Amino acid sequence: MPSDSTHAYDRILCVGDSLTQHGWDVTKHGWTAQLSQAYLRRLDVVNRGFSGFNSRWALSVLPRTLSKHSRLRLATILYGANDAQFSEYKCHVSLDEFKSNLKQLVELFCDPSSQLHVPNGRVLLITPPPVGDRLYKKCSDDEDKPVDRSRRTTEPYAIAVRQVGSELSLPVVDLWAAIDSKVQELQADSSRHWKYDGYEEYLWDGLHLNANGNDLLFSLVTNAVNTHFPELQPETMPFVIPGFRDFESKGELLQLLEAKSED
C-alpha cells in the first residue's frame, strides 16, 4: 500500500508577524485564507505568522515549525512592522540587522540542504504597510497602551525590503506603496472627509489590515505570482486528488492515484 505521503500536498509557506497571522481571519477577508481558497485541492497554504515577532526571532523559530514531509513551492516573507518599533521597545531591530536578517531568511529558503528549501527560488518579499499615525494613536489610547511606532520610523523598513529584493533579484510585493497610493487618492477627493486621513479604509487600527487591506494584499500577491511564477497560477494546476467526475469506480480512482504516484 502507498505511504501516507504519496499524495501529500506541496505547500505555500507564509511567514511573518501578526500581519500574516491575522491572514487567517476570514471576518476581515484574511489574505492567507483567500490564498488557501485559491489553491484549494492544489497546494496547502501554511501560515507561520507569529504576532509580535520580529525578523530576529523568526530566524530562531522558523526552522522548527515545518516538517519535511511536503516540499515547498512558494514562500512569502512579511516582516518589518515590529522591527520598526521605537528603539526603547523589545521588538525593535536596527535597520542594518533587519536587512541582514531578511537575507538570512531568504537563504533558508534558497539553500538546498534546508528543510525550508523552495525550489527555483520562488520567494516573495512583502513590505510592511504604512502606519496610520492618527488612527494608531487613537486605538492605542483606547487600550491604554503607549504609541510604540510611527509612519516615519516604519518607512525605512519598507525601503529596506525593496533594497533586499533588488540585491537578491527577488520580486517584492510593495504593500506600503499600494496602500499609500490608495490613501493619497482618497485624500485628494475633496467631497469626503477622513477622520483618520483615509487609512481607516485599509487598516482597522492604523497598523493591521482590515477587509479592504487584506483584499488588496491578496490581489498584490496573486499578481506577483502570475508575473514572476506563472507555473503556480492556480487555475493551471491540476488537483492533487482527482475530481469525482474523472472516474467511474473505486478501481478507476485507484488507477489514477497510482499513475500520479509514479509521476
Side-chain angles (χ1 to χ4, degrees), residues 229-246:
F229 312 121
E231 68 277 13
L232 292 185
Q233 294 181 50
E235 60 273 15
T236 68
M237 302 178 69
F239 286 168
V240 174
I241 302 300
F244 75 95
R245 293 184 179 88
D246 295 331

Side-chain angles (χ1 to χ4, degrees), residues 169-190:
S169 298
L170 292 175
V172 174
V173 173
D174 201 337
L175 181 59
W176 178 288
I179 290 181
D180 230 22
S181 176
K182 297 286 188 182
V183 168
Q184 288 175 21
E185 291 176 9
L186 296 175
Q187 293 172 346
D189 183 356
S190 59

